[in-house]
Amino acid sequence: MSATRYTYLGPEGTFTEAALRTLPEAATRELVPMVSVPAALDAVRNGEAAAALVPIENSVEGGVTATLDELASGEPLMIYREVLLPIAFALLVRPGTKLSDVKTVTGHPVAQPQVRNWLRAHLPEAVWESAASNADGARLVQEGRFDAAFAGEFAAATYGLEALVSEIHDAENAETRFVLVGRPARPAAPTGVDKTSVVIWQREDHPGALLELLQEFAARGVNLMLLQSRPTGAGIGNYCFAIDAEGHIADRRVGEALMGLKRICANVRFLGSYPRAGATEEDVTPLRPGTSDREFTSASDWLARCQDGRA
């Protein structure tokens, strides 16, 4: 395995590359762009890279399905870190292009909902066609296949383009969450400001089935930060669920919730426990009475004494 190589969703000039370069270790790694999320993750699976950075959630559009589906299937991988990156788009064009010249536009599919209102107001007749990434859209503009691309303004120099309009976003404070993914290993020690990600599959579909799964978290005071259903491919109505829960697998309340899920689910895939990006202790949901590690330990000791006749 190449311990010094990180892959990311390319080509050069993507928001993913910008997010990756915020990590301190990126300065000492070989950063290799890949054509797709599956390609970036497969490089980790087959040992060509130590880790991959890929987008997983956007504050406007929600989960990035390509990443969620890839982490839910195939050889298991694990999340070790997350990065939050503020997102604002620029309309990149070939030099000399005016706004009235723009008849075709491109960008990553996740970008479209973030600029839809701007497009409607300023380019209502423009035809949109999706690209593999925002930077790939910039490359297609460079090649003359589209008039303009929505991408990060930093991508303009890479592809010989210019920003006709900057700071485009329909939602203020939009951001995208990226995750650094590697091969499975022991999670890092808890920081007190952590997140745990899993994918779960129901054993069977019946009234209240999802409620039963969620109660494993609720009964132990574990706050959920993301819940998204994804089709399993086994037919209409068959879903798995991607879940982000507050806390670390080493926390008793989280570990016991996962054990509860393992008992009642057809399958549970652990995707990692890792620090929450940009969070402080003030962002952590206060523990409900009876859900601290001390109280779990006390209850376990009490049960042992009962079993020994010492209660």
Side-chain angles (χ1 to χ4, degrees):
M1 176 184 294
S2 175
T4 61
R5 181 178 297 141
Y6 282 4
T7 57
Y8 65 91
L9 176 62
E12 294 181 13
T14 58
F15 286 110
T16 310
E17 181 188 9
L20 179 55
R21 292 189 181 279
T22 67
L23 298 180
E25 63 266 36
T28 59
R29 302 294 193 272
E30 177 190 3
L31 308 184
V32 181
M34 306 298 283
V35 298
S36 65
V37 167
L41 297 179
D42 282 344
V44 178
R45 287 186 171 112
N46 62 29
E48 295 177 11
L53 193 84
V54 291
I56 195 168
E57 183 185 4
N58 178 267
S59 62
V60 175
E61 184 66 358
V64 178
T65 56
T67 300
L68 291 172
D69 292 346
E70 189 67 21
L71 292 176
S73 62
E75 185 180 342
L77 295 169
M78 208 164 96
I79 299 170
Y80 289 92
R81 185 178 297 184
E82 67 176 10
V83 177
L84 296 178
L85 187 73
I87 301 295
F89 294 92
L91 188 69
L92 302 187
V93 298
R94 293 180 295 277
T97 302
K98 302 187 295 293
L99 195 61
S100 59
D101 298 327
V102 177
K103 308 300 181 186
T104 58
V105 295
T106 188
H108 191 275
V110 174
Q112 189 179 20
Q114 301 178 68
V115 299
R116 185 181 292 126
N117 293 336
W118 189 94
L119 268 174
R120 186 182 298 118
H122 299 278
L123 293 170
E125 303 300 323
V127 176
W128 171 284
E129 186 173 329
S130 293
S133 68
N134 297 310
D136 192 55
R139 179 185 63 80
L140 295 174
V141 172
Q142 180 190 46
E143 295 175 356
R145 295 172 59 182
F146 293 92
D147 297 325
F150 287 99
E153 188 168 356
F154 48 78
T158 301
Y159 296 98
L161 305 176
E162 60 184 29
L164 188 60
V165 185
S166 300
E167 291 297 316
I168 300 172
H169 43 69
D170 289 349
E172 293 290 339
N173 303 316
E175 59 185 1
T176 294
R177 181 166 70 101
F178 302 84
V179 288
L180 187 69
V181 179
R183 295 179 67 84
R186 180 182 294 273
T191 66
V193 188
D194 299 295
K195 177 185 294 184
T196 293
S197 298
V198 295
V199 181
I200 59 178
W201 286 258
Q202 293 174 294
R203 193 179 302 278
E204 61 178 18
D205 187 23
H206 60 269
L210 179 57
L211 177 60
E212 290 175 4
L213 304 182
L214 299 182
Q215 282 177 333
E216 296 294 333
F217 293 104
R220 296 168 177 87
V222 178
N223 186 42
L224 298 189
M225 308 181 74
L226 178 143
L227 171 64
Q228 180 160 339
S229 62
R230 295 297 304 148
T232 64
I236 296 294
N238 287 278
Y239 296 94
C240 61
F241 298 92
I243 293 175
D244 287 347
E246 197 173 30
H248 193 283
I249 193 172
D251 298 333
R252 289 287 295 271
R253 64 189 183 281
V254 176
E256 292 203 10
L258 297 186
M259 286 194 294
L261 289 172
K262 185 63 178 173
R263 291 197 320 270
I264 65 176
C265 291
N267 189 27
V268 178
R269 175 169 284 197
F270 174 65
L271 295 181
S273 290
Y274 47 93
R276 290 170 55 189
T280 66
E281 290 185 1
E282 281 126 17
D283 299 312
V284 176
T285 303
L287 293 181
R288 288 169 45 200
T291 63
S292 69
D293 279 8
R294 179 184 57 80
E295 288 162 314
F296 271 99
T297 300
S298 176
S300 179
D301 291 344
W302 172 83
L303 179 62
R305 292 196 304 273
C306 289
Q307 292 171 332
D308 290 342
R310 296 181 291 112

